[in-house]
């Protein structure tokens, strides 16, 4: 019957939600022990953008990548840093919806190389900006509140920092800054 099908759908949805929570929880509980190697962050940025391109197109969001012409090396664990950037990109995609615009960029700032994910979504209220990196804090119906907490922890384990600048109604910029290394 329809009721039965509806019930099964709900169970399936809840199961995948619990699954996601458990996965996030395990990742959060396990110290991120990065295995850093000198990596050109431009390649990392391109790889993440390639992952997100399909999703962006599907929802009618434009995704652009700006990068320096010179290599930008930092000692990072490629898989972990890719996880961080993917998380930021997925959050940006959720924030902008259709007709949105996201720009990912890589550049040098003094002794640091920085990666930015900027969106023109609804922005983050000033009182929430201090909380979004806390474990279990979420504004999403389906969110576990561990994505940004994990991301922040991974970046810190690399000796870097993850910051946000946002004007409500005018989008947000998440910046990952890491100590630069010469290749």
């Amino acid at each position: 019957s329809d009721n039965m099908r509806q019930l099964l759908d709900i169970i399936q949805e809840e199961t995948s939600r619990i699954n996601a929570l458990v996965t996030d929880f395990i990742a959060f509980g396990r110290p991120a022990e990065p295995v850093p190697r000198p990596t050109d962050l431009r390649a990392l940025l391109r790889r993440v953008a390639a992952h997100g391109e399909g999703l962006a197109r599907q929802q009618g969001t434009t995704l652009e990548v700006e990068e320096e012409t010179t290599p930008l090396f930092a000692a990072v664990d490629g898989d972990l840093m890719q996880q961080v950037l993917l998380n930021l990109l997925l959050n940006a995609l959720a924030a902008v919806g259709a007709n949105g615009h996201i720009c990912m960029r890589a550049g040098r700032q003094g002794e640091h190389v920085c990666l930015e994910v900027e969106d023109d979504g609804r922005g983050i209220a000033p009182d929430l900006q201090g909380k979004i990196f806390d474990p279990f804090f979420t504004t999403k119906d389906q969110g576990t509140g561990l994505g940004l907490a994990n991301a922040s922890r991974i970046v810190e384990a690399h000796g870097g920092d993850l910051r946000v600048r946002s004007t409500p109604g005018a989008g947000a910029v998440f910046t990952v800054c890491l100590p630069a290394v010469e290749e």
Side-chain angles (χ1 to χ4, degrees), residues 17-139:
R17 215 167 70 102
I18 288 168
N19 227 335
L21 179 64
V22 170
T23 309
D24 275 357
F25 200 71
I26 291 167
F28 190 80
R30 198 179 51 227
E33 279 302 322
V35 182
R37 296 193 177 82
T39 306
D40 188 350
L41 296 186
R42 299 174 309 165
L44 201 65
L45 195 68
R46 269 180 244 137
R47 200 157 64 232
V48 172
H51 277 303
E53 241 154 31
L55 282 171
R57 210 176 10 244
Q58 245 172 350
Q59 70 171 43
T61 299
T62 53
L63 174 58
E64 74 172 301
V65 178
E66 289 174 10
E67 57 185 50
E68 302 273 329
T69 47
T70 51
L72 298 166
F73 278 87
V76 298
D77 181 312
D79 291 342
L80 285 175
M81 206 46 71
Q82 185 169 321
Q83 197 182 314
V84 167
L85 289 175
L86 265 175
N87 184 280
L88 296 179
L89 178 56
L90 290 173
N91 285 351
L93 283 165
V96 297
N99 304 322
H101 181 78
I102 297 170
C103 182
M104 298 179 78
R105 61 178 73 87
R108 181 123 191 185
Q109 292 179 15
E111 297 295 287
H112 289 82
V113 280
C114 298
L115 297 162
E116 287 189 345
V117 179
E118 181 173 2
D119 69 68
D120 63 357
R122 51 188 176 270
I124 302 158
D127 58 323
L128 299 185
Q129 288 179 30
K131 293 182 188 152
I132 57 174
F133 299 109
D134 296 350
F136 304 115
F137 177 80
T138 182
T139 57

